[in-house]
Each structure stands twice: as structure tokens, then as C-alpha cells.
Amino acid sequence: MLFSLAVALMVLLVAAFWVYQGLFNGVLMLLCSIVACMVAFGFYEDLHSVWSGTIGPGLGLPLALILIFLVTLFALRFITDKVIPDGVHLPVAVDFAGGGVAGFFTGMVVIGTALVAAQMAPIGASVFGFDRMSADPQGVMV
């Protein structure tokens, strides 16, 4: 429960940040984060196969996922900032409200990707307040 509240707070903080950045920048960041997420999930196993002998499967997979995600996200954001140096000017209410909505979804994508990587890490089963349920041979959860 506490971990879920912390994650919700992180998403809301990302949304609050993008409120002040505006609708156009928020939508650009949302698109960049979606593309970066797709690239990361598409290629993290390939990157892991490069260093699987040295790092191993425990930390190799989440590290590859986060590394590809962050590098792609920063590269895409850098490119969009250089190609579009000045954003679109909208009315303040539309700009703030749209930035908040786009920021909320950006936070969901970014925090969600980080949580998937954290789930892949070799940490204890009940660290985040979640313990996997096991089933008996008949399929009944115990």
C-alpha cells in the first residue's frame, strides 16, 4: 500500500512538473518517452546478450532496459529541442491543463518502465510490499 502511494506521488510530481512546461513540451516528452519505451523493450535482450557473460542475468536485464530507455529518451529529447527550439504559444489555461494531462501520461510511461526494470532486478520477493503467490499442484493459490 505504501509503495503504491509512493509511485502515485512520483507520477503526480512528474505531471506537476510538466504543467509548468506546457502542453506542447508535455506532448513532445510523452511521444519521446513512448518511443524510448518501445525501443528499450525491443532491444534490451539484445544488449543483455552482449554483456551476459560478465554481468549475468540478475542485473544485466534491468540494466540493459534502463540504459537503452534513458539513452533513447535523452537523445530524442535533445533532437526535438534542437529541431523545435521554440514551442507553440497557447492560452495559459489550455497550456497548463494540457501540460498536466500529458505530464501524467509521461509519468506513467517513465515510472512504469522504471518499475518493470526494478521488478526484473534480483531483489527479495517482498521488498516493495508485493509477495508472489504460489499455487499448489491443483492450481489453487496458497
Side-chain angles (χ1 to χ4, degrees):
M1 177 71 178
L2 184 61
F3 182 69
S4 297
L5 291 175
V7 169
L9 179 64
M10 285 188 276
V11 171
L12 290 176
L13 287 174
V14 171
F17 173 78
W18 287 104
V19 163
Y20 294 105
Q21 299 300 315
L23 174 62
F24 187 71
N25 285 325
V27 169
L28 277 179
M29 188 62 180
L30 175 60
L31 294 174
C32 289
S33 63
I34 289 172
V35 170
C37 184
M38 289 188 301
V39 169
F41 277 106
F43 294 105
Y44 79 98
E45 290 174 335
D46 297 330
L47 179 61
H48 169 67
S49 68
V50 171
W51 65 43
S52 64
T54 57
I55 295 179
L59 287 177
L61 287 172
L63 183 64
L65 179 69
I66 287 297
L67 185 67
I68 292 175
F69 178 72
L70 290 177
V71 167
T72 307
L73 183 62
F74 287 131
L76 288 172
R77 189 60 198 190
F78 180 77
I79 291 168
T80 56
D81 283 344
K82 292 299 178 188
V83 171
I84 309 169
D86 192 24
V88 176
H89 300 287
L90 299 168
V92 175
V94 172
D95 207 25
F96 282 0
V101 170
F104 175 76
F105 289 112
T106 300
M108 295 289 280
V109 171
V110 172
I111 302 298
T113 304
L115 288 175
V116 168
Q119 181 189 10
M120 285 194 281
I123 54 180
S126 63
V127 170
F128 295 124
F130 172 77
D131 197 7
R132 295 182 188 272
M133 297 182 69
S134 59
D136 63 6
Q138 287 79 26
V140 178
M141 295 295 188
V142 259

